[in-house]
Amino acid sequence: GPFLIEGIFYAIAATVIALMVALPLVRWASPSVANFFDATPINLWGYYVSHLPEIFFGELLGAAVLTFISASVAVSKYIKV
């Protein structure tokens, strides 16, 4: 019902906000991570940017599933049909 649709909208908003916060943090941490793993060449920023659609849809799917489950439990607990 409407609670599930509203939850999906919140999941979309949360995913966008999470990516907006994570993007500068990954950019900032990328040189430090590369220095830490000195023996293996790693480009965290390049990986993050090249896999951004997969990361976005993975986060969105996870948030949507959690929202759907929690909204279903809440609605079924308080609204007996």
Side-chain angles (χ1 to χ4, degrees), residues 47-72:
Y47 179 83
Y48 191 80
V49 170
S50 66
H51 290 85
L52 194 59
E54 291 94 348
I55 294 170
F56 175 78
F57 288 114
E59 283 185 25
L60 180 61
L61 180 65
V65 167
L66 284 174
T67 301
F68 182 80
I69 291 170
S70 62
S72 297

Side-chain angles (χ1 to χ4, degrees), residues 3-19 56-68 70:
F3 296 112
L4 301 176
I5 305 252
E6 181 183 7
I8 299 300
F9 287 137
Y10 281 127
I12 293 170
T15 302
V16 169
I17 291 170
L19 285 177
F56 175 78
F57 288 114
E59 283 185 25
L60 180 61
L61 180 65
V65 167
L66 284 174
T67 301
F68 182 80
S70 62

